[in-house]
Every structure is written in C-alpha cells, then in structure tokens.
Amino acid sequence: MTDTNARETLIDLLHGVERFNTEVFPKNRELFASLADQQSPGTLFIACADSRVNPSLITQTKPGELFVLRNIGNIVPAYGEMLGGVSSAIEYAVLALKVSHIIVCGHSDCGAMKALLDPDPSKLAKMPTVASWLRNAEAARAVLEVSDAGPASVRSLAEQNVLLQISHLRTHPAVAAGLARNTLTLQGWFYDIPSGEVVILDEASRHFVSVHDAIETLRAATAASRAQTQSA
C-alpha cells in the first residue's frame, strides 16, 4: 500500500467517525446514555479477528449486548496453557459480567485454518508468535487426519476447530463452575462468508444444524422445562 492509499484509508475511517458523531449517535442517544456507566451483555462471543467477520452484524445486536473476544482462528487455549488476554476475558465475562452464554464462531476461508491445514514453513518462520498460537488448534487437524469424512478442507478443519475450542473452554475454572450450576451454556457456530449462512453445533451429534432447527430445539427444551416446573 502506497503512502497515498494509506492516507486515503485513514481519511475514510475518520469520515466514518464523523458520520457516527453527526448521524448515528444522535439517533441512538438514549441507548448510549444507558451504557455510559455500565454494561450487562448476555453473551461472550468468541470470533476470529478476520476483518470479514462482524459479530454484531451477523447477530443483529446492539452495543452492550455482546462481549466480544477476537483473535486469530477464534482460539481458546486450554486453561493454564497460555494465561493472558483470552483466559482473562473469559474469566471476566463469566464472573464479573455473569454472561449466560459463550459462543465460539468459526468461519469460511479462515487464514489460520489454511495455515494449519497446509503450513508454509517459510512464512510461519517469519511469524513465530502466530506459529506458536496455532498449536492450540493442532488437535483439530489430528481429528481430521483419522476421520472417514473425506478429504480435509478449510471448512471441515474450521468446524473441528470450533469443537476443539468448546472443549478447551470447559477446562477454564469459571466456565466449569458455570456449567455445573447450569447458569452457563456453550455453543459453536460456523459462518459461511459468501452465502451469509450460519450453522449451529449440535453437541449431542457433533454435527452442525441450521439456525431454524437450533431454534426449534431450544423452544422444545424451554417448553419442557416450563411444563416440569408447573407440575412440580
């Protein structure tokens, strides 16, 4: 990128800030006033840092509704492996913000999954931190290598990675305690960029289902829970 293009990109961002200040903020003044001194998001959303993935756009949520954690490959190191930004954000979300849900969202054409599926030693040698970080997803590739689901692809690896990171989440003390108390749920998603489709992980079958089917399953579970409460 030339200096001119770089400056034009920055100018575009600043114009966006101007539009936010003059158009978007005034229309949502009450919302931002309510968020001035507190936040109470219901969900921790763990997504890839990929610029094409916009959690609030995908979920159609407003400021204050999602606590978003983003990194390369939507990775959650097992507790104790790499204590730092990811583990502290999870701990804070569960214990301080008391979120009810944690979602791990993978996506199509993920650069991290490409590097994991077909690593280029010459490129990774220049990015030692990235190479180290991706080791937290290597078990997903190992699963694909012994599965009979056909040739491994970036999508299949991304899906297995979501499953792996969900299992890593369970090793975090705050998450384990929340699950034991039934105050916390975990869910895996996969977002297909070109189609806009989101599919949801069914942990029982370890397959992904449509959003519609996931909604119907949750509605049925809610109805059953209410019926049990009323009969008690």
Side-chain angles (χ1 to χ4, degrees):
M1 181 180 291
T2 65
D3 288 345
T4 300
N5 289 338
R7 283 193 292 270
E8 288 177 351
T9 298
L10 183 55
I11 288 170
D12 288 341
L13 290 176
L14 293 172
H15 278 314
V17 174
E18 279 187 330
R19 287 193 297 274
F20 173 78
N21 286 335
T22 59
E23 299 173 23
V24 177
F25 183 86
K27 291 178 182 178
N28 297 276
R29 193 177 299 277
E30 290 185 5
L31 170 62
F32 289 108
S34 71
L35 297 173
D37 300 314
Q38 63 180 352
Q39 63 168 327
S40 56
T43 301
L44 166 60
F45 197 98
I46 302 175
C48 184
D50 192 296
S51 62
R52 299 166 294 179
V53 178
N54 187 323
S56 295
L57 186 62
I58 294 169
T59 59
Q60 290 295 284
T61 47
K62 298 176 182 177
E65 294 181 347
L66 293 180
F67 189 69
V68 180
L69 170 60
R70 305 185 67 164
N71 61 56
I72 301 296
N74 43 272
I75 286 172
V76 178
Y79 188 76
E81 290 295 316
M82 287 185 170
L83 294 178
V86 172
S87 53
S88 61
I90 292 168
E91 189 174 79
Y92 182 79
V94 176
L95 298 181
L97 298 178
K98 301 187 183 304
V99 298
S100 301
H101 314 287
I102 302 179
I103 292 168
V104 178
C105 183
H107 68 95
S108 62
D109 196 48
C110 179
M113 296 303 102
K114 287 180 178 179
L116 197 62
L117 187 65
D118 186 21
D120 184 335
S122 63
K123 289 184 178 179
L124 289 175
K126 299 175 183 176
M127 296 183 286
T129 307
V130 172
S132 176
W133 181 249
L134 291 179
R135 294 192 190 105
N136 295 290
E138 282 186 350
R141 185 180 63 182
V143 169
L144 285 182
E145 289 174 351
V146 299
S147 72
D148 56 1
S153 65
V154 173
R155 173 162 183 158
S156 61
L157 181 55
E159 291 176 347
Q160 286 297 327
N161 183 55
V162 169
L163 291 167
L164 175 63
Q165 306 314 323
I166 290 285
S167 68
H168 286 174
L169 269 170
R170 296 182 186 276
T171 69
H172 289 248
V175 173
L179 292 171
R181 296 191 195 100
N182 292 317
T183 58
L184 185 66
T185 61
L186 308 181
Q187 195 172 73
W189 293 10
F190 179 85
Y191 168 52
D192 185 59
I193 294 171
S195 70
E197 180 188 32
V198 173
V199 290
I200 312 301
L201 169 64
D202 177 4
E203 284 198 270
S205 66
R206 296 184 67 82
H207 290 92
F208 286 83
V209 300
S210 69
V211 170
H212 173 77
D213 287 347
I215 291 172
E216 291 304 307
T217 299
L218 286 169
R219 282 177 174 166
T222 301
S225 178
R226 285 174 179 168
Q228 185 176 15
T229 300
Q230 290 172 356
S231 64

